[in-house]
């Protein structure tokens, strides 16, 4: 699943880099809107990122089906897991781009299925924190272990400096993608 502390997710288009005119393969000049030139093979990066998204999506869909969850429920679980501080329904709503009714329905489903617990804060009983239930967390770890194992196997072929650069690239890319404008589907 994703790293913690990411900004709100937004739905919308993404640059694909399919043509040289759009900054695609071997673009030498700045692209539309005076974007800097991509020093690598933009098209190849786009293909591999879509491929990775598809492979991870396949494993996530299998987990959702096995757990009888909606895709949004799995996104919510990932957000709760990755949060650097206790997750609230309000923050979850912002991260997932849901309406308050949709996030309530999602949390209700996850709580009924035993995946999350709602815990009221001691200092202010109006504040509700969402916690990933220990049994559900263990089930998720078991299901997603092959992804972690693949990361370990592939990572063993790279040096620490290379992995630091790769992580910095992925973090910066995710931060930039979170800023891509767009409206959530169904609104």
């Amino acid at each position: 699943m994703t790293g913690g502390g990411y900004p709100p997710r937004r739905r919308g288009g993404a640059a694909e880099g399919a043509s040289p005119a759009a900054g695609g393969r071997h673009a030498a000049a700045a692209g539309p809107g005076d974007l800097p030139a991509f020093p690598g093979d933009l098209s190849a990066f786009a293909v591999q990122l879509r491929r990775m998204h598809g492979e991870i999506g396949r494993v996530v869909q299998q987990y959702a089906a096995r757990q009888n969850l909606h895709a949004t429920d799995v996104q919510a679980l990932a957000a709760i897991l990755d949060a650097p501080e206790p997750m609230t329904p309000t923050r979850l709503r912002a991260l997932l781009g849901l309406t308050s009714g949709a996030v309530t329905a999602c949390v209700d489903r996850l709580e009924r299925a035993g995946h999350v617990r709602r815990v009221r804060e001691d200092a202010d009983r109006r504040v509700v924190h969402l916690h990933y239930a220990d049994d559900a967390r263990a089930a998720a770890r078991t299901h997603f272990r092959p992804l972690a194992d693949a990361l370990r196997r592939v990572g063993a072929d790279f040096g620490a400096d290379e992995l630091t650069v790769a992580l910095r690239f992925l973090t910066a890319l995710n931060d930039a993608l979170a800023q891509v404008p767009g409206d959530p589907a169904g609104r």
Side-chain angles (χ1 to χ4, degrees):
M1 295 203 188
T2 60
Y6 48 86
R9 292 181 184 163
R10 298 205 168 104
R11 311 250 193 277
E16 293 188 21
S19 70
R25 186 177 299 268
H26 307 294
D34 294 325
L35 293 174
F38 189 84
D41 186 337
L42 183 61
S43 180
F45 267 86
V47 167
Q48 292 306 317
L49 288 169
R50 283 191 298 270
R51 184 174 165 211
M52 182 176 68
H53 178 266
E55 294 299 332
I56 291 172
R58 178 181 53 79
V59 176
V60 168
Q61 288 173 355
Q62 290 169 349
Y63 180 74
R66 287 182 181 149
Q67 297 294 318
N68 202 24
L69 299 173
H70 295 262
T72 301
D73 298 343
V74 179
Q75 286 181 318
L77 288 172
I80 293 166
L81 178 67
D82 294 344
E85 57 194 37
M87 181 63 70
T88 65
T90 301
R91 283 187 47 235
L92 186 61
R93 176 183 177 269
L95 281 170
L96 299 182
L98 299 174
T99 64
S100 57
V103 82
T104 298
C106 175
V107 172
D108 286 347
R109 283 191 306 269
L110 290 171
E111 189 174 42
R112 274 193 310 272
H115 289 275
V116 299
R117 295 178 294 110
R118 285 179 169 112
V119 178
R120 295 208 177 268
E121 189 179 82
D122 289 336
D124 184 348
R125 302 289 294 160
R126 295 172 297 178
V127 176
V128 174
H129 290 153
L130 304 172
H131 296 276
Y132 211 131
D134 290 338
D135 290 347
R137 186 185 299 247
R141 278 194 183 121
T142 299
H143 181 84
F144 290 104
R145 181 165 316 279
L147 291 180
D149 292 347
L151 182 60
R152 283 186 188 97
R153 278 192 308 275
V154 171
D157 291 338
F158 293 84
D161 289 345
E162 292 174 298
L163 292 174
T164 297
V165 170
L167 180 60
R168 187 168 63 87
F169 174 80
L170 290 172
T171 300
L173 180 59
N174 283 327
D175 290 347
L177 291 175
Q179 301 306 314
V180 172
D183 293 326
R187 282 210 183 160

